[in-house]
Amino acid sequence: MTSVTHTTPTRRLNTLVIDGRMDADRAVLTPRGELVDGCADTLSRTLEELPEDTGGLDMEMGKVVFMDTAGLQFLKLLGSYGHRHRIPVRTAHWTGQPRRILEIVGLDTADPLQLAEPSQAPEPGSPAASAVALEREEQLDCLREEVRQLRRAIVSRPVVDQARGVLMATHSCTADEAWYILRKASQLSNTKLHTVAATVTAAAGGDGADPPEELRLALRTAIAQRLG
């Protein structure tokens, strides 16, 4: 089986690659990258390449690093494929931000193709109920903050993608390496990722002032650590 790489019509540089292999009659697919706009099209093309006698499908999701609402369409397509072909379809090893998105929308992270089942609630008014209510309120506050962070991340994606493209062209590196450089420079210089990306893009176009020395040093260090 072959890998499929997808680039959206707007030529954003975030890609989704799906590696595949057969284990007896089961297909094992490993997506790498981001579940964003166009990911369902990539999955559809991959599913079309599966042998007709495929008896099951396992998706190893541990290498998916980012997911927005397009990831839900990805899951819907998986579920439809399993129902249409009457074969078991499983996803496993969700981690990081994609796992949190599944939790936010109420999906079971162990089996997101099924709705998460609510846990059995304690009797109203009991000490256990009060503790559960407090815990749920704290969890809700955390989820609200993560939703705010996700919205900010979605807004900043275009400039981050442009900066990744600049680094890829300048240093002949991969998209993952460019992403590492941006994040590392952000950490080293204590500068927001969006600001780092905007600075890299502006400098490449000759539109902005020279980056602060601290940020230039952070970028050089990150590049040396990743590509040196």
Side-chain angles (χ1 to χ4, degrees):
M1 297 174 62
T2 59
S3 300
V4 176
T5 303
H6 172 75
T7 304
T8 64
T10 55
R11 298 188 63 80
R12 293 192 311 183
L13 291 167
N14 49 292
T15 57
L16 176 67
V17 176
I18 302 180
D19 298 323
R21 62 182 175 84
M22 296 301 298
D23 184 0
D25 68 336
R26 295 190 68 83
V28 181
L29 302 182
T30 305
R32 293 185 287 111
E34 303 172 341
L35 299 185
V36 293
D37 184 31
C39 65
D41 295 334
T42 303
L43 176 62
S44 178
R45 290 193 293 270
T46 303
L47 295 176
E48 289 174 358
E49 296 178 357
L50 295 180
E52 293 184 0
D53 59 349
T54 298
L57 175 58
D58 294 330
M59 299 287 293
E60 299 288 340
M61 307 302 296
K63 294 184 179 180
V64 172
V65 297
F66 182 87
M67 167 179 167
D68 61 17
T69 53
L72 302 180
Q73 184 64 31
F74 183 95
L75 289 174
K76 182 178 180 181
L77 179 59
L78 272 180
S80 297
Y81 178 85
H83 179 74
R84 187 169 65 253
H85 292 271
R86 298 183 179 181
I87 62 173
V89 178
R90 295 191 294 264
T91 67
H93 305 133
W94 294 86
T95 61
Q97 186 267 358
R99 181 184 178 92
R100 297 299 294 161
I101 294 301
L102 296 180
E103 294 172 347
I104 289 172
V105 299
L107 295 178
D108 184 351
T109 55
D111 186 10
L113 297 181
Q114 302 293 328
L115 289 176
E117 296 182 1
S119 59
Q120 187 174 9
E123 290 294 327
S126 68
S130 299
V132 169
L134 178 59
E135 181 181 359
R136 287 179 176 173
E137 183 62 28
E138 292 174 348
Q139 291 175 340
L140 184 58
D141 287 340
C142 291
L143 292 176
R144 285 172 178 150
E145 177 58 27
E146 290 194 20
V147 169
R148 286 193 289 268
Q149 293 176 0
L150 176 61
R151 287 173 176 168
R152 289 196 295 268
I154 291 174
V155 170
S156 67
R157 288 186 63 77
V159 69
V160 172
D161 287 340
Q162 291 174 19
R164 287 166 72 180
V166 169
L167 291 173
M168 290 168 66
T170 303
H171 299 284
S172 299
C173 62
T174 67
D176 288 342
E177 289 171 334
W179 174 240
Y180 171 90
I181 291 168
L182 290 173
R183 287 192 297 110
K184 191 65 175 180
S186 172
Q187 295 167 1
L188 292 173
S189 63
N190 195 26
T191 305
K192 290 183 178 180
L193 179 64
H194 180 272
T195 302
V196 175
T199 300
V200 169
T201 302
D207 300 328
D210 290 338
E213 177 59 29
E214 183 180 13
L215 180 53
R216 292 202 301 271
L217 177 60
L219 283 167
R220 288 197 297 268
T221 302
I223 291 168
Q225 288 181 357
R226 189 63 177 180
L227 305 178

